[in-house]
Every structure is written in structure tokens, then in C-alpha cells.
Amino acid sequence: LAVLIIPSSMILNIAYPKYNEVFTINIGGVKMIPPDTSVDVNVFSDKASFFALADWVKANTSVDSLFLTFPAYGAGRFRAFSERSVVVDFKIMPISSEELVQSWFERYTEVLNLYKTNDTSLFNATAHKYDADYILVYSQNNKLNLPVAYSNDKYIVYKPI
């Protein structure tokens, strides 16, 4: 594990040579830049639809509900505005021990790769693996054959079976 902090630009580069990955985090802004994401990374960019989603989640789910969400860029924003937990995201990651980093990295990679598919059974199995109560997808990226708990023009919340 190597950490390089550049105070003048407030950028933190975290290199994990064992995993052949480098993550760049812009601390001054809120932008997190993971390596190679081939899915739409602006999944939480539509404000009206996003806030409608967050409002529905707060009003219709238990405060201890866990959501399987796309882990990069917007998961932290979803967590903040919906006041619900997510399985994994890029914004909250351990840097204190290699064991925690390895566990986080494996979870992050698994979920990131999951969102590159439309495999209903894989989404369902992953939700069960992490005890997620709901699966949140961007409607243009993932269509699943699961019960819909909520949807709007941009987002679908599925209930695992």
C-alpha cells in the first residue's frame, strides 16, 4: 500500500500494486475517479429524478435498509440524501490495513463488474450475498426481471427475490 498526498492540489493517489490499480481522489471536490468504468458514470446526475428517488427511499424503506447500488461517483450522494446504507462505494474506503483494503477492493470490483451486466440472477445473488434489501439501477443501464419497488424516468429500485 502506497499513499501519496499532494497538498497544493488536494489530490490523493492511492496505489495498490498487488491489485494493479490506482485510485485518484480529488479531496477538494467530491469527484472520485476509479480506474476503467465502462458503464455510465453519471448515474446520479439528474437532480429532479434523483431527489424524487431519495425522497421515496426515505419515506418507504426502513432506516436500516441496505441498497446495492453502482459503487462509483454517486453512491455516496445516494447514501447522504436517502439516509440509507449501500453495499459498497468508492467514496468510503479503508486505507488503514491491507486486509480491509483487500476486502473492500474485492467487494468494489465485484459490484462494479455486476453493473456492467443485465444478469438478473447475478444481481439477485449478489444482493443476497451482501444482505441487500433493494437493488438500485439507472434505468438506461440495467433492466432486471425482479419485482419493482419504485421507478421514475431515471431510476429503478428492485426487490431481490
Side-chain angles (χ1 to χ4, degrees):
L1 173 66
V3 176
L4 172 64
I5 298 179
I6 308 167
S8 61
S9 63
M10 294 301 290
I11 292 181
L12 170 67
N13 287 312
I14 303 172
Y16 300 107
K18 184 174 182 179
Y19 310 111
N20 195 30
E21 299 286 344
V22 176
F23 296 91
T24 301
I25 303 171
N26 178 348
I27 298 170
V30 192
K31 190 142 186 167
M32 306 300 173
I33 306 169
D36 184 33
T37 55
S38 62
V39 295
D40 184 354
V41 296
N42 294 310
V43 295
F44 296 103
S45 62
D46 183 286
K47 290 181 181 174
S49 297
F50 173 79
F51 287 117
L53 164 70
D55 289 344
W56 179 87
V57 168
K58 285 194 291 189
N60 295 282
T61 66
S62 171
V63 295
D64 61 351
S65 294
L66 180 63
F67 281 77
L68 179 61
T69 65
F70 179 68
Y73 294 94
R77 185 172 155 208
F78 170 78
R79 187 180 59 249
F81 285 100
S82 69
E83 300 174 10
R84 299 298 182 268
S85 297
V86 297
V87 169
V88 65
D89 74 18
F90 187 74
K91 192 169 185 179
I92 304 297
M93 56 184 276
I95 59 172
S96 58
S97 78
E98 186 171 343
E99 183 178 311
L100 290 175
V101 169
Q102 179 178 355
S103 174
W104 169 85
F105 183 80
E106 289 168 0
R107 182 181 290 215
Y108 175 82
T109 303
E110 177 183 12
V111 174
L112 184 66
N113 288 332
L114 172 67
Y115 275 81
K116 295 177 184 178
T117 77
N118 281 311
D119 187 333
T120 296
S121 62
L122 189 56
F123 268 91
N124 198 52
T126 304
H128 284 288
K129 177 179 179 178
Y130 295 112
D131 295 321
D133 301 295
Y134 297 93
I135 301 168
L136 172 60
V137 301
Y138 189 58
S139 61
Q140 294 176 353
N141 290 348
N142 305 99
K143 301 284 187 186
L144 306 176
N145 187 20
L146 292 169
V148 174
Y150 170 82
S151 68
N152 65 26
D153 60 323
K154 299 290 181 186
Y155 307 101
I156 304 171
V157 177
Y158 292 103
K159 189 79 173 136
I161 52 174

